[in-house]
Structures are given as structure tokens and as C-alpha cells.
Amino acid sequence: TYLGGLFDRHTCAIVDPARLVLELARTCAELGVQIFEHTAATDIEHDRAGVRVTTAAGSIAAGRAVLATNVYPSLLRRNRLHTVPVYDYVLATEPLTDGQLDRIGWRSRQGVGDSANQFHYYRLSADNRIVWGGYDAVYHFGRRVDPMYEDRLEVFRRLAAHFFITFPQLEDVRFSHRWAGAIDTNTRFCAHWGLAGRGRIAYVNG
């Protein structure tokens, strides 16, 4: 399925998302940040003293705030029409044997992504599974986010079919895991950053 490719060491990188989040949390805590997990923010206001974030259990005051989760409606009115939740779906194979890896010639750890509008992305895990996702980004009317959207067998079957078109040498490989979740895209089709509240509220969308 390949017509060509570009290998670029300098503009892309692969990170372990769990380790990234845990390290961010550790660094923030060392700098004095208090972390309130499972606390939904419902409103944000600002004045000369700082910002105040409202939750169901009370409010939190701070000098500055970062809005970095955009699957749900933005607390900033200017961004409410730009953020769009879509559901992304991923499969993971069982660990590949040395023989299976030799069939496809993939021994290095770089990730791969298509250049098409509906693109696949994939990489080798530490235990030599191929993590294979993308293509369908399913939007639900009204920007709804609901766990019931995470198990769409037709999407997983389509992903599996595309996998075997890309890797016909791996027809004997089985999938061991599947998962899905809402991700944030936006009407500009690329990430954009900005400041609000007299520079006290930073945000990123997309």
C-alpha cells in the first residue's frame, strides 16, 4: 500500500502517554500544584487577583489557569464553537515473533502515519505488538460524549481489514486488545493556542 515515505527525526516524536501524564503530575506537585482528580470544572472567571474555577463541590482560586482538556464544551465562550469531540478507535495485536517481524522488516521503533485526510497511525510497543488506530473519527450529533460510543464493532472490523491490507504478511496475527475514546479536534483542523482573561488563562484547542 506504500507509494513513498518520509523519515524525519526532528519534527515528530513518540511518547508513552501514561508516563507523560504521570511525570507531568509529579513535576507539577513538586512545584506546589494541588491536583484534584475527578473534579469537573463548570465555570471559570477572572479578575485582577487571578482566576476562580467553579466545581460542583466548591471553587478553586489561583493566579493563573490552563485549559487543556477540550473534549467537553469549553469554559471559554470564544472556543465553544471551535472544539469538536470525535471518537478514535485503536487495535493492538498480540506480540509479534521474530519471524513475523522479519516478514515485514520493521525492527526500529519509529511510528508511522498516513498522509491522507482519513489516516492510520501505528507503532511497535515495547513487547512488539503493533498498535494500529485512526481512520474513522466518529462524530455524534450535538457533540455528545458517552461511553456507549466506545464499542463500535463495525469500526474495529474496518480497522482490522485495513491492517491486513497493509500487512498481508501477517495474516496469522491476532488482535489482543481494542479500545476507543473521545479526542478533541476543532473547526480549524489544527491545534491553536491563546490567552484569555488578561493573560491569566491559557488554552489550547485541537
Side-chain angles (χ1 to χ4, degrees):
T1 58
Y2 291 92
L3 295 177
L6 172 68
F7 179 55
D8 191 341
R9 294 178 180 273
H10 304 293
T11 60
C12 294
I14 293 176
V15 298
D16 181 320
R19 289 181 182 178
L20 173 65
V21 170
L22 291 172
E23 188 64 13
L24 284 170
R26 184 190 66 78
T27 303
C28 288
E30 286 183 355
L31 293 172
V33 173
Q34 290 179 279
I35 298 173
F36 299 89
E37 293 196 70
H38 309 294
T39 305
T42 57
D43 192 24
I44 189 167
E45 300 175 337
H46 69 90
D47 56 28
R48 292 181 181 177
V51 297
R52 183 169 297 275
V53 179
T54 303
T55 75
S59 62
I60 301 167
R64 291 166 294 180
V66 177
L67 297 178
T69 302
N70 300 301
V71 166
Y72 298 97
S74 176
L75 298 180
L76 293 176
R77 186 174 299 158
R78 70 171 71 171
N79 289 334
R80 285 180 190 160
L81 295 178
H82 292 296
T83 58
V84 181
V86 295
Y87 275 80
D88 192 38
Y89 297 83
V90 185
L91 294 170
T93 69
E94 60 193 0
L96 271 60
T97 65
D98 287 343
Q100 289 167 331
L101 287 170
D102 287 340
R103 286 184 222 161
I104 58 175
W106 192 5
R107 288 291 188 170
S108 56
R109 296 285 158 185
Q110 75 269 21
V112 182
D114 302 349
S115 60
N117 186 36
Q118 286 182 282
F119 61 93
H120 303 88
Y121 55 86
Y122 38 112
R123 61 165 292 181
L124 281 175
S125 67
D127 60 351
N128 290 332
R129 301 172 191 270
I130 295 180
V131 178
W132 171 269
Y135 192 74
D136 278 329
V138 181
Y139 170 77
H140 295 278
F141 181 75
R143 305 184 183 201
R144 290 188 60 194
V145 176
D146 194 308
M148 71 178 183
Y149 299 143
E150 295 174 11
D151 199 18
R152 293 172 61 99
L153 287 179
E154 67 271 24
V155 176
F156 289 118
R157 288 190 179 109
R158 186 180 300 114
L159 265 180
H162 291 179
F163 177 90
F164 291 115
I165 290 170
T166 305
F167 296 112
Q169 313 94 314
L170 299 180
E171 61 181 0
D172 56 339
V173 170
R174 296 168 58 91
F175 297 104
S176 58
H177 296 79
R178 70 173 190 246
W179 66 93
I183 61 172
D184 164 40
T185 185
N186 67 65
T187 56
R188 303 184 190 186
F189 297 105
C190 63
H192 66 279
W193 296 261
L195 294 174
R198 299 180 180 177
R200 296 185 180 276
I201 302 170
Y203 62 84
V204 58
N205 293 316

